[in-house]
């Protein structure tokens, strides 16, 4: 038996030859410098947020409250010495004395010799001033010991006449003297003494007054 061998075709790598008059594009492209794209700017990373405290809810910060002084806005508090409190005004002005008490003190000052008679000019009318002129030189209310003291002064008003009648007791040492006087109110709304009288009381009457 005869075996016939058939020749097998062999593949030979083809050789690329440049054709005269033409330029190969492949080597030119391989030798050209490569241009890289410009870097794109990136945004800054966001700031880290504070983490809430563990085991509780997040609290919002409170706005500071304006400082106020007692009794007014800030800056109006009265300032004083260090460690001292501001002075408080007095509760009220002293109460004015009634007219009959004022005149009783004035008559006592004149009849005890503390004031001259002319001190009552403008505070008397009618015969009252002449009565004081006769009584004052004797100083009937002068005391050898302590100063005479007005102990009591009662009054009886006569609104229809615009007048009052007063009765006062005065302690002059061991004695107690009585003094009666009349006040009248003029058109200028001022009180003036219209009459004055004196009467002595015994020592025993001082204990009953």
């Amino acid at each position: 038996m005869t075996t016939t061998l058939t020749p097998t075709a062999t593949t030979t790598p083809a050789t690329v030859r440049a054709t005269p008059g033409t330029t190969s594009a492949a080597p030119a492209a391989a030798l050209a410098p490569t241009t890289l794209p410009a870097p794109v700017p990136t945004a800054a990373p966001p700031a880290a947020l504070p983490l809430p405290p563990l085991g509780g809810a997040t609290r919002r910060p409170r706005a500071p409250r304006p400082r106020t002084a007692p009794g007014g806005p800030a800056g109006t508090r009265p300032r004083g010495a260090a460690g001292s409190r501001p002075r408080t005004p007095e509760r009220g002005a002293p109460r004015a004395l009634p007219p009959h008490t004022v005149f009783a003190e004035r008559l006592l000052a004149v009849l005890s010799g503390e004031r001259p008679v002319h001190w009552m000019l403008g505070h008397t009318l009618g015969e009252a001033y002449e009565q004081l002129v006769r009584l004052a030189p004797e100083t009937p209310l002068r005391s050898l010991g302590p100063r005479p003291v007005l102990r009591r002064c009662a009054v009886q008003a006569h609104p229809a006449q615009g007048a009052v009648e007063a009765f006062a007791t005065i302690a002059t040492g061991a004695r107690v003297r009585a003094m009666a006087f009349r006040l009248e109110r003029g058109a200028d709304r001022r009180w003036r003494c219209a009459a004055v009288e004196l009467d002595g009381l015994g020592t025993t009457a001082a204990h009953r007054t």
Side-chain angles (χ1 to χ4, degrees), residues 91-111:
R91 295 184 177 180
R95 186 174 55 181
L97 296 175
H100 60 275
T101 304
V102 174
F103 272 87
E105 292 286 358
R106 289 177 177 175
L107 294 173
L108 172 60
V110 171
L111 297 178

Side-chain angles (χ1 to χ4, degrees), residues 108 111-114 136-148 172-173 177:
L108 172 60
L111 297 178
S112 63
E114 294 182 1
E138 300 177 4
T139 60
L141 299 182
R142 174 177 293 182
S143 175
L144 299 179
R147 179 185 181 276
T172 58
R177 303 294 301 269

Side-chain angles (χ1 to χ4, degrees), residues 89-173:
E90 298 181 0
R91 295 184 177 180
R95 186 174 55 181
L97 296 175
H100 60 275
T101 304
V102 174
F103 272 87
E105 292 286 358
R106 289 177 177 175
L107 294 173
L108 172 60
V110 171
L111 297 178
S112 63
E114 294 182 1
R115 292 283 185 173
V117 181
H118 63 263
W119 186 57
M120 291 298 294
L121 283 173
H123 301 288
T124 57
L125 55 84
E127 298 181 359
Y129 186 76
E130 298 297 331
Q131 294 171 350
L132 290 176
V133 169
R134 291 192 300 266
L135 293 173
E138 300 177 4
T139 60
L141 299 182
R142 174 177 293 182
S143 175
L144 299 179
R147 179 185 181 276
V149 179
L150 178 66
R151 298 182 56 183
R152 176 186 173 189
C153 188
V155 65
Q156 182 179 1
H158 302 280
Q161 303 175 8
V164 295
E165 293 180 356
F167 175 82
T169 55
I170 301 167
T172 58

Side-chain angles (χ1 to χ4, degrees), residues 176-190:
V176 175
R177 303 294 301 269
M179 180 175 62
F181 56 94
R182 176 184 175 89
L183 300 179
E184 295 183 2
R185 197 170 190 178
D188 56 358
R189 314 290 292 178
R190 293 180 56 189

Side-chain angles (χ1 to χ4, degrees), residues 2 33 39 41 55 59 62 68-69 72 77 84 105 112 128 131 164 199:
T2 305
R59 296 183 179 181
R62 296 182 178 180
T68 57
R77 185 176 182 177
S84 64
E105 292 286 358
S112 63
Q131 294 171 350
V164 295
D199 185 19

Side-chain angles (χ1 to χ4, degrees), residues 23-32:
T23 306
S24 176
L31 298 176

